[in-house]
């Protein structure tokens, strides 16, 4: 496989001469070849595929935020693998996978993923470390996800109902949060009893009839914890040690930057920092160790759940993209909302995440769509702008300003050389690179590892 994409393997050394009382002191700094893969839209940009491809050049792959709201897909050897919590590097036999402290974990669900992978022939063995700092999702979190999304007022967020938001809320609230490492402590039972009692009062008030049972939770989570114990370590210490050894590390973002809790389309976002800003907080690895940031974008736009999406095509075009691209949620199976590529949004998230290069995925889906449109500006309250609004309600009022680009009809899913793509497809990719002001280094034209070009 040709992976000549110019990633940095050799640590970069910088010598800065500082004159001090006539003596030049050399400050010496080493940058570990950390690479990061971040979705630049509303998730499902095919991050899993890109991470799997880049894993070949790294020794450690790290998931650092989100949880089982993520659904990452990797396809090779005629088989499709779906991952929610296990990093997409798991298919490479010598790579160490890490679920870092910023991830929220449902231990029962994680074990069922590990067991399913084993049935599919992927044995985890000792290739996985899980942070003892990771916060644990309990049954009450999933129930809270349902009641809060329904009673929020206005349009529902449309969460994945995996308990992600409520678990992060308890993490920040602290008093009712339990971390993975605490499942092994003597006071785990009494904490479950106290928290269940308090949670059930609130759930009851919201009309929940099937309430969590403390004894059942204790039994289920103790059994799960015992199975997870061999994987559970201080991953922050592990990663910092690997950095000291200049180990190439790959960071796998979940969701997309437009779903970032601080910088996305709030409140229609997830509850973690899913843009590039979240890597350091979630993994414990300082941001300066990321030497290459790769932004993944679909050749068009999709979104699952509520919230504004200026380029949505709730029409024949949107339906055709959905059918061509099989745009149904990996986790929830919900039909994804589909629309034209939004260069205003992607430029914003590329800048926000400090992207160095872009991977364009699902380009094949646009074959046969006809003329293609790209949103290059928004008209908001009569004013044209290329700035992405901070306020969700402003984004709701944004009318996209489009440019039109010729489409192509050829099936491009077997093309392996960028130069052999139809001219219109090449033009489309180049236009996106120009609008994003970043080079496109990878083009994906199918789900399989092999359906990939390096530009
Ligand atoms: P992720 O969450 O970003 O990892 O993306 P998902 O796995 O949720 O969604 C991407 C979907 O597109 C999966 O079903 C992939 O197998 C599929 N896929 C990935 N790359 C391509 C591509 O270039 N073309 C097509 N047609 N499908 C792709
Ligand atoms: P990957 O990693 C697409 C969306 C949900 C909802 C909002 C909040 O596969 O790209 P949450 O359950 O996180 O509280 O839901 O975020 N969402 C995703 N959409 N891909 C994802 O992950 C998503 N994870 C969450 O649909 O709108
Ligand atoms: Mg997904």
């Amino acid at each position: 496989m040709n992976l000549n994409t110019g990633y940095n393997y050799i640590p970069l050394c910088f010598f800065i001469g500082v004159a001090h009382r006539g003596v030049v002191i050399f400050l010496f700094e080493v940058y570990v070849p950390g690479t990061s893969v971040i979705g630049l839209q509303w998730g499902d940009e095919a991050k899993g595929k890109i991470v799997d491809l880049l894993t070949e050049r790294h020794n450690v792959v790290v998931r650092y935020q989100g949880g089982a709201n993520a659904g990452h897909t990797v396809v090779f050897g005629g088989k499709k693998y779906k991952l929610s919590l296990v990093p997409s590097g798991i298919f490479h036999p010598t790579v160490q996978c890490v679920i870092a402290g910023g991830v929220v974990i449902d231990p029962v669900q994680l074990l069922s993923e590990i067991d399913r992978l084993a049935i599919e022939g992927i044995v985890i063995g000792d290739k996985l470390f899980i942070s003892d700092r990771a916060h644990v999702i309990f049954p009450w979190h999933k129930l809270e996800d349902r009641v809060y999304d329904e009673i929020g007022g206005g349009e529902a967020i449309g969460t994945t109902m995996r308990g992600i938001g409520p678990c992060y809320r308890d993490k920040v609230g602290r008093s009712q949060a339990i971390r993975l490492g605490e499942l092994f402590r003597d006071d785990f039972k009494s904490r479950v009893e106290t928290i269940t009692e308090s949670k059930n009062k609130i759930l009851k008030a919201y009309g929940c009839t099937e309430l969590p049972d403390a004894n059942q939770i204790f039994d289920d989570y103790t059994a799960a914890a015992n199975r997870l114990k061999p994987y559970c370590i201080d991953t922050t210490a592990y990663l910092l040690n690997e950095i000291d050894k200049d180990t190439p590390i790959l960071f796998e973002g979940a969701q997309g930057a437009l779903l970032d809790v601080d910088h996305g389309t709030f409140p229609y976002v997830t509850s973690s920092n899913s843009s590039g800003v979240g890597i350091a907080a979630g993994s414990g690895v300082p941001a300066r160790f990321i030497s290459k940031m790769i932004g993944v974008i679909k050749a068009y736009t999709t979104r699952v759940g509520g919230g504004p999406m200026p380029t949505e095509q709730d029409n024949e075009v949107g339906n055709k993209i959905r059918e061509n691209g099989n745009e149904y949620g990996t986790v929830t199976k919900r039909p994804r909302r589909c629309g034209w590529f939004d260069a205003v949004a992607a430029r914003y998230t590329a800048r926000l995440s400090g992207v160095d290069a872009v991977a364009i995925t699902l380009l094949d889906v646009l074959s046969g769509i006809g003329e293609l449109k790209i949103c290059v500006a928004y008209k908001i309250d009569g004013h044209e702008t290329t700035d992405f609004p901070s306020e969700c309600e402003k984004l709701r009022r944004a009318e996209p300003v489009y440019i039109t680009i010729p489409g192509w009809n050829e099936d491009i899913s077997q093309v392996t050389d960028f130069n052999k793509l139809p001219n219109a497809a090449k033009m489309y990719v180049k236009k996106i690179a120009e609008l994003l002001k970043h080079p496109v280094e990878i083009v994906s034209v199918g789900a399989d590892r092999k359906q990939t070009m390096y530009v």
Side-chain angles (χ1 to χ4, degrees):
M1 194 189 306
N2 172 18
L3 268 172
N4 187 17
T5 52
Y7 298 101
N8 302 319
Y9 292 111
I10 306 156
L12 301 173
C13 303
F14 292 96
F15 294 89
I16 307 163
V18 179
H20 177 69
R21 288 187 187 167
V23 182
V24 175
I25 303 162
F26 282 102
L27 303 175
F28 174 72
E29 211 163 357
V30 178
Y31 284 86
V32 173
T35 305
S36 177
V37 172
I38 295 283
L40 297 185
Q41 294 158 317
W42 279 289
D44 302 327
E45 300 90 347
K47 299 174 292 295
K49 169 175 174 166
I50 302 300
V51 168
D52 168 65
L53 286 170
L54 299 181
T55 297
E56 206 158 82
R57 313 192 128 211
H58 296 83
N59 295 2
V60 178
V61 179
V62 187
R63 266 286 307 272
Y64 54 88
Q65 45 73 229
N69 48 353
H72 295 182
T73 317
V74 176
V75 179
F76 61 92
K79 283 192 189 164
K80 184 190 253 199
Y81 301 93
K82 292 183 181 185
L83 303 163
S84 280
L85 281 161
V86 174
S88 301
I90 200 68
F91 306 102
H92 293 251
T94 56
V95 165
Q96 187 63 46
C97 287
V98 174
I99 301 176
V103 176
V104 285
I105 296 176
D106 176 342
V108 179
Q109 175 140 14
L110 174 56
L111 282 167
S112 81
E113 187 173 330
I114 290 172
D115 291 342
R116 179 174 45 77
L117 283 169
I119 291 167
E120 292 169 348
I122 309 299
V123 178
I124 304 286
D126 54 5
K127 288 192 299 173
L128 181 66
F129 289 143
I130 310 168
S131 173
D132 56 359
R133 290 182 173 88
H135 280 254
V136 177
I137 296 181
F138 285 91
W140 53 73
H141 290 133
K142 293 184 193 170
L143 289 166
E144 286 172 348
D145 217 351
R146 189 158 304 128
V147 293
Y148 293 152
D149 205 21
E150 278 168 11
I151 57 99
E155 187 185 0
I157 296 169
T159 78
T160 57
M161 300 291 165
R162 296 292 191 270
I164 306 293
C167 184
Y168 276 120
R169 180 191 295 148
D170 278 342
K171 170 179 172 171
V172 179
R174 293 151 296 159
S175 54
Q176 296 197 319
I178 297 181
R179 308 204 295 184
L180 196 63
E182 292 170 57
L183 302 191
F184 311 109
R185 280 194 346 211
D186 291 341
D187 63 350
F188 175 50
K189 189 161 203 264
S190 65
R191 292 215 63 213
V192 167
E193 284 166 353
T194 313
I195 298 171
T196 308
E197 197 185 333
S198 141
K199 291 281 186 184
N200 282 357
K201 278 185 198 152
I202 297 166
L203 288 168
K204 225 172 169 175
Y206 278 115
C208 273
T209 46
E210 280 179 41
L211 297 172
D213 174 68
N215 288 328
Q216 187 68 49
I217 293 174
F218 176 73
D219 290 347
D220 292 349
Y221 278 64
T222 302
N226 288 335
R227 279 193 64 197
L228 289 176
K229 201 166 189 176
Y231 307 114
C232 186
I233 64 161
D234 176 351
T235 60
T236 305
Y238 168 77
L239 290 172
L240 293 174
N241 285 337
E242 290 305 312
I243 278 172
D244 286 347
K245 291 187 262 174
D246 297 339
T247 303
I249 302 175
L250 181 60
F251 296 86
E252 175 177 5
Q255 290 79 57
L258 293 172
L259 288 170
D260 186 292
V261 66
D262 288 306
H263 306 284
T265 50
F266 191 88
Y268 300 97
V269 291
T270 191
S271 301
S272 64
N273 283 119
S274 51
S275 69
V277 308
I279 303 169
S283 67
V285 171
R288 70 196 179 100
F289 289 105
I290 311 294
S291 52
K292 179 114 185 178
M293 186 78 82
I294 297 172
V296 189
I297 42 170
K298 274 183 188 177
Y300 46 92
T301 307
T302 63
R303 176 162 206 177
V304 201
M309 174 180 163
T311 61
E312 181 170 14
Q313 297 299 301
D314 193 9
N315 54 30
E316 261 319 293
V317 170
N319 293 342
K320 203 156 177 202
I321 292 176
R322 186 175 307 106
E323 293 320 308
N324 283 4
N326 191 25
E327 290 294 357
Y328 295 88
T330 310
V331 172
T332 57
K333 315 280 181 255
R334 288 178 288 179
R336 293 177 183 144
R337 299 157 63 190
C338 298
W340 298 121
F341 185 76
D342 186 339
V344 178
R347 169 89 184 123
Y348 161 65
T349 50
R351 291 171 73 205
L352 172 71
S353 296
V355 156
D356 297 296
V358 168
I360 297 192
T361 59
L362 294 108
L363 186 67
D364 53 301
V365 172
L366 295 182
S367 291
I369 296 284
E371 274 191 333
L372 303 172
K373 289 184 179 177
I374 295 178
C375 168
V376 293
Y378 298 148
K379 211 169 187 186
I380 304 175
D381 303 333
H383 299 288
E384 199 168 305
T385 178
T386 53
D387 292 336
F388 191 77
S390 57
E391 221 191 294
C392 191
E393 291 314 309
K394 229 174 174 183
L395 187 66
R396 233 186 251 289
R397 298 198 298 277
E399 297 164 38
V401 177
Y402 288 115
I403 54 166
T404 304
I405 302 211
W408 61 92
N409 290 319
E410 297 91 327
D411 173 3
I412 58 169
S413 62
Q414 302 309 318
V415 179
T416 51
D417 176 352
F418 183 75
N419 293 314
K420 296 202 172 128
L421 281 173
N423 278 338
K426 277 189 279 192
M427 253 180 68
Y428 188 78
V429 169
K430 285 177 186 167
K431 191 66 189 172
I432 288 179
E434 183 191 313
L435 289 166
L436 265 52
K437 299 191 174 73
H438 288 296
V440 172
E441 288 192 349
I442 300 174
V443 176
S444 170
V445 288
D448 196 277
R449 270 180 190 168
K450 289 186 196 143
Q451 293 170 292
T452 314
M453 289 165 243
Y454 301 94
V455 184

